[in-house]
Amino acid sequence: MTEDRIWLSSPDMGGNELKYVKEAFDTNWIAPLGPNVDHFEKELGEYLGINHVAALSSGTAAIHLALILLGVKSGDEVIAQSFTFCGTTNPILYLGATPVLVDSEYDTWNLDPVLLEEAILDRIKKGKRPKAVIMVHLYGMPAKMKQIVEVCSRYEIPLIEDAAEALGSTIDGRKAGTFGDMGILSFNGNKIITTSGGGALVSNNTQWIDKSRFLATQARDEAPHYEHTELGYNYRMSNILAGVGRGQLEVLDSHVSKRRAVNAFYREHLSFEGLNFQSEMSANDFSNYWLTSVKIEPELLGVDREDVRLELWKSNIETRPLWKPMHLQPLYKDCVYYGNGVSDELFTKGLCLPSGSNLTTVELERVVVAIKGFIAKS
Ligand SMILES: *Cc1c(COP(=O)(O)O)cnc(C)c1O
């Protein structure tokens, strides 16, 4: 008999989602606008401590709009963290712009501020001043934000903060997503809270967020008929999904606590040489630990990442390699890349463990026993 599947990260409903969805039905607000969208934007803004939020159809759409708002056009260069999911970088390609990929550092696994500065200086020397920088807080782990913000402001390059995985993470008590000129969030099915699919663009700049709403509703000019001067998109969040989001926001902090407890459990029970956790740099950093991620050293453990992943799969436990860096992706292979092999190594050795807020102690024990048993045997 096989045991039930343990998922990497599955949706975890709080209970009030259906209430807000029902309100949408009862009032017939079945559209990509309505009271749930308004409330969701307001409540999310309050949670983050930011003035303006546009609820959108996805995190990828939010990045696409952020790049448009910054004036990125065909032929422009945009610097991006290479170690990420393609949702971070694909919008650069949508615009016909050129991604310039920069590697991570070993402390947080996120954009290396030293390499970032080298890359900016080199691009400027080549007459190609980057139009924007996009950084990421991978798996919820706060990046070296202070240094990244400093570098970007030194060269006056706008910063887009991809906080898709980091809702609820903080640096010095301030929420991830609020450090960049614009921040983006995702509410995809596997994220810390979900609207099944959705995203948001956040900023303290009123003009940008107003303009993003305009662009996200097909850029309709003021007129009784449909009048279009600019190219728009259909990127707004539906009022039904925003209802799911309102219910999810109510349980966000409890999801963060639970994911952190999952992380603490793994740290307690899987502490051996050769298995290193992605960790907060200091007490000022607070990760939502969306996914607990480890680096597996084959020389010390006698098994490599794929051995562990495949062994766990036999016990019906889903784990996943870390993101394959963009500079290693066929789609991005011709991009300029500034790096020294950090994310290559993390990709080879890194594994994300089941981390859902709905995992039970029995399930966590199954994961720990499976990993420990396999390593002991090897
Ligand atoms: C999920 C994710 C995105 C994209 O969000 P979608 O809502 O799925 O479009 C972007 N960047 C990162 C780092 C992500 O994890």
Side-chain angles (χ1 to χ4, degrees):
M1 191 191 80
T2 34
E3 290 173 286
D4 289 343
R5 168 83 42 85
I6 296 178
W7 298 100
L8 186 71
S9 176
S10 66
D12 184 6
M13 293 297 110
N16 280 339
E17 291 83 1
L18 271 177
K19 181 183 101 186
Y20 297 117
V21 170
K22 187 169 181 302
E23 273 176 31
F25 275 75
D26 291 345
T27 54
N28 208 27
W29 276 104
I30 314 292
L33 80 170
N36 279 335
V37 175
D38 297 342
H39 282 290
F40 185 57
E41 289 179 341
K42 185 163 164 288
E43 287 154 14
L44 187 58
E46 282 163 6
Y47 180 84
L48 292 171
I50 201 149
N51 292 339
H52 306 288
V53 173
L56 301 169
S57 55
S58 73
T60 308
I63 295 179
H64 190 189
L65 294 180
L67 292 169
I68 294 169
L69 292 165
L70 294 173
V72 173
K73 297 207 165 56
S74 175
D76 287 338
E77 288 193 352
V78 174
I79 290 186
Q81 178 166 330
S82 184
F83 195 29
T84 187
F85 170 63
C86 70
T88 308
T89 50
N90 281 354
I92 304 171
L93 298 181
Y94 298 168
L95 291 165
T98 307
V100 172
L101 302 170
V102 176
D103 208 349
S104 292
E105 32 78 9
Y106 276 122
D107 294 330
T108 76
W109 305 3
N110 291 305
L111 186 64
D112 183 337
V114 177
L115 271 179
L116 171 64
E117 182 159 28
E118 279 176 34
I120 290 175
L121 284 170
D122 193 51
R123 299 326 290 164
I124 292 176
K125 201 171 81 195
K126 293 187 162 76
K128 293 244 167 196
R129 163 174 280 275
K131 283 297 271 267
V133 170
I134 313 179
M135 53 70 61
V136 188
H137 305 286
L138 276 189
Y139 310 117
M141 184 59 63
K144 294 190 174 175
M145 210 57 215
K146 194 161 161 274
Q147 291 94 316
I148 293 170
V149 167
E150 260 167 32
V151 170
C152 288
S153 45
R154 190 172 310 141
Y155 299 96
E156 296 179 2
I157 301 173
L159 177 62
I160 299 170
E161 185 182 1
D162 179 346
E165 303 178 0
L167 179 56
S169 298
T170 63
I171 303 167
D172 290 325
R174 181 169 154 192
K175 290 280 185 327
T178 65
F179 289 84
D181 294 282
M182 281 178 261
I184 78 97
L185 296 165
S186 167
F187 312 109
N188 200 24
N190 57 355
K191 299 285 155 79
I192 192 147
I193 61 168
T194 180
T195 58
S196 79
L201 181 67
V202 310
S203 178
N204 282 318
N205 183 315
T206 327
Q207 274 100 41
W208 278 338
I209 300 301
D210 286 350
K211 183 82 192 267
S212 78
R213 291 201 183 96
F214 169 77
L215 292 173
T217 45
Q218 303 289 23
R220 275 187 69 187
D221 297 336
E222 295 275 356
H225 58 274
Y226 280 76
E227 177 86 6
H228 307 281
T229 315
E230 279 184 72
L231 179 61
Y233 302 85
N234 184 4
Y235 276 173
R236 274 297 250 167
M237 181 181 279
S238 126
N239 194 54
I240 294 174
L241 300 188
V244 179
R246 289 182 73 189
Q248 287 275 280
L249 266 184
E250 293 174 3
V251 291
L252 171 54
D253 279 335
S254 112
H255 283 196
V256 173
S257 306
K258 285 184 190 157
R259 297 218 183 217
R260 286 182 63 88
V262 167
N263 184 272
F265 186 93
Y266 286 134
R267 279 176 199 269
E268 187 189 336
H269 296 282
L270 295 174
S271 83
F272 16 77
E273 223 194 331
L275 194 145
N276 300 305
F277 287 81
Q278 184 191 30
S279 297
E280 291 154 347
M281 251 194 330
S282 77
N284 301 328
D285 289 345
F286 177 91
S287 173
N288 67 7
Y289 280 120
W290 172 56
L291 295 183
T292 289
S293 303
V294 295
K295 187 163 151 245
I296 290 163
E297 302 292 348
E299 325 73 73
L300 292 168
L301 289 175
V303 292
D304 68 15
R305 191 275 315 282
E306 273 308 273
D307 296 331
V308 177
R309 189 180 70 79
L310 294 169
E311 179 68 20
L312 290 173
W313 189 240
K314 284 189 214 154
S315 310
N316 220 2
I317 298 169
E318 184 191 32
T319 60
R320 201 196 285 147
L322 303 191
W323 298 124
K324 181 172 183 174
M326 289 306 125
H327 69 273
L328 299 178
Q329 298 285 358
L331 181 62
Y332 289 89
K333 69 180 188 321
D334 297 326
C335 290
V336 179
Y337 159 66
Y338 294 86
N340 37 30
V342 173
S343 57
D344 297 61
E345 188 195 337
L346 289 169
F347 172 60
T348 310
K349 296 182 176 174
L351 189 67
C352 299
L353 302 179
S355 304
S357 43
N358 46 8
L359 288 173
T360 63
T361 310
V362 172
E363 288 175 315
L364 288 173
E365 272 161 5
R366 249 178 73 198
V367 178
V368 163
V369 166
I371 295 176
K372 268 186 167 162
F374 182 53
I375 287 173
K377 220 166 49 188
S378 309

